[in-house]
Amino acid sequence: MSKPLPPMSAVRVFEAAARHQSFTRAAEELGMTQAAVSYQIKMLEDRVGAPLFVRLPRQVVLTERGQQLAPAVTEAFEALRVAFAGVEERVETTLSVTTTHTFASNWLVPRLGSFRQLHPNIAVQVSISQAMVDLVGSDFDIGIRSGRGDWPELEKHFLFDNCVTPVCSPDLLKDGALKEPKDLLKLPIMSPGDPWWQEWFALAGVSSTGLTKRGDYSLGVQQFEGMAAVAGQGVAIVNTAFFREELASGRLVQPFDLILKTWSYWLVYPKARRRTRKIQAFCDWLFNEVAADDQKESTQALQKTEA
């Protein structure tokens, strides 16, 4: 078995004293008293079995044993400083975000270029998971979650409501098949077992009991079902905030104005990290993006009303 190392506190004091050739300056650097430095050095000398410094009236000088030990100790501590500096730099310049598939692909990732322009020194890493990640016990900095906001262990900020409505390809409307909400039941419906459908039809005053008897054609996430709707495979119920381009271009249409509010999207992070600069930078940018979307929607709604 290898011989155990001396106490690292004493080795740290030796390294500083050897570098400065002074117990006083070592004490100042380490935030200790000179007596505490002398004690740690004496403890290390007892462990080594030989003096490491010659104590002179106004300075200390390394002995032969001290000169033999000092370069290796200094090199080891410098390697530690470099290693920790690299870790700290990576922690400060890399922002890791966990969120859901559709939020990442249809909302967040297309906008990240503007964050990169504002903060070129912060690299954003996005991880996709439908499961709720434990932010307190993981290395993720930020999560963007959907839910009610009932996470007392986290700092949370409301982003926007999850407001869903049916969408489909304009090809499905060519024969005038959709005049009122109940007409949707004549078309192929994706994820007919999704509770959103039942809630939306109930809001529209339409019985949807027959939906549960249909085959459950489900693609799992809104992004895929929206893509299938664009391809004319059926009607999907989605958050229109994730399909603005498809709706604006006419590849998707929203046949009815009726909107169902389910839950909300939140930006969350551990309370202990609330003052981290990279988190604050991302929060400020994200809030501005949401505010810009709200302003754009308000302007479009006003123009539609005036038209």
Side-chain angles (χ1 to χ4, degrees):
M1 294 180 62
S2 60
K3 189 175 181 180
L5 289 170
M8 290 306 296
S9 58
V11 177
R12 180 167 174 258
V13 169
F14 169 77
E15 189 275 334
R19 184 161 29 89
H20 290 298
Q21 296 284 288
S22 168
F23 286 3
T24 301
R25 293 181 62 188
E28 292 173 353
E29 176 183 313
L30 300 175
M32 303 170 65
T33 65
Q34 186 173 340
V37 168
S38 297
Y39 173 78
Q40 293 288 339
I41 295 297
K42 182 64 170 63
M43 184 170 60
L44 188 62
E45 289 175 330
D46 290 344
R47 176 65 177 271
V48 172
L52 299 175
F53 291 94
V54 177
R55 278 76 166 172
L56 300 175
R58 294 188 177 179
Q59 69 176 118
V60 293
V61 177
L62 287 166
T63 64
E64 182 179 348
R65 295 290 177 85
Q67 292 175 9
Q68 178 185 353
L69 191 59
V73 172
T74 298
E75 183 179 350
F77 271 88
E78 184 58 28
L80 287 173
R81 290 188 187 98
V82 170
F84 277 99
V87 169
E88 289 170 1
E89 181 180 4
R90 179 170 175 79
V91 166
E92 188 59 34
T93 59
T94 303
L95 182 80
S96 54
V97 182
T98 174
T99 187
T100 60
H101 196 294
T102 302
F103 190 96
S105 60
N106 289 36
W107 198 96
L108 179 61
V109 172
R111 302 165 186 256
L112 282 178
S114 65
F115 179 81
R116 182 67 175 169
Q117 289 179 341
L118 289 172
H119 304 282
N121 295 325
I122 301 177
V124 180
Q125 296 180 344
V126 179
S127 176
I128 295 172
S129 174
Q130 297 302 108
M132 192 173 293
V133 175
D134 176 14
L135 290 176
V136 176
S138 71
D139 291 332
F140 287 107
D141 297 301
I142 281 178
I144 299 172
R145 290 182 175 177
S146 57
R148 308 291 180 188
D150 49 351
W151 307 294
E153 76 281 10
L154 299 175
E155 195 79 19
K156 51 188 177 291
H157 301 278
F158 171 82
L159 295 178
F160 52 82
D161 289 321
N162 186 50
C163 297
V164 299
T165 192
V167 295
C168 63
S169 165
D171 293 339
L172 295 182
L173 307 182
K174 286 183 177 179
D175 58 357
L178 295 182
K179 296 180 179 178
E180 52 186 329
K182 69 178 183 180
D183 293 334
L184 285 170
L185 296 171
K186 303 174 184 177
L187 299 176
I189 289 181
M190 283 178 278
S191 296
D194 191 326
W196 289 356
W197 276 118
Q198 297 180 18
E199 293 178 35
W200 188 89
F201 277 119
L203 196 62
V206 175
S207 173
S208 59
T209 55
L211 279 178
T212 58
K213 299 178 182 179
R214 299 193 182 192
D216 191 11
Y217 174 43
S218 172
L219 298 178
V221 294
Q222 288 188 63
Q223 183 204 17
F224 296 154
E225 296 194 348
M227 292 170 62
V230 169
Q233 296 177 21
V235 186
I237 187 165
V238 300
N239 186 328
T240 56
F242 298 142
F243 297 93
R244 286 192 173 94
E245 290 187 8
E246 291 83 356
L247 290 164
S249 66
R251 288 179 291 158
L252 278 180
V253 294
Q254 179 185 335
F256 304 106
D257 292 334
L258 187 63
I259 297 290
L260 170 69
K261 175 182 172 182
T262 59
W263 21 254
S264 305
Y265 283 92
W266 303 78
L267 184 148
V268 296
Y269 49 88
K271 292 182 177 180
R273 303 180 199 173
R274 64 167 65 92
R275 292 184 178 87
T276 305
R277 285 178 295 177
K278 62 181 180 180
I279 290 179
Q280 288 304 313
F282 189 81
C283 289
D284 291 343
W285 168 78
L286 193 64
F287 299 154
N288 286 333
E289 288 291 314
V290 172
D293 281 355
D294 290 342
Q295 180 62 41
K296 187 182 298 184
E297 285 188 6
S298 297
T299 301
Q300 291 174 347
L302 180 62
Q303 292 173 344
K304 185 176 179 181
T305 303
E306 292 176 348

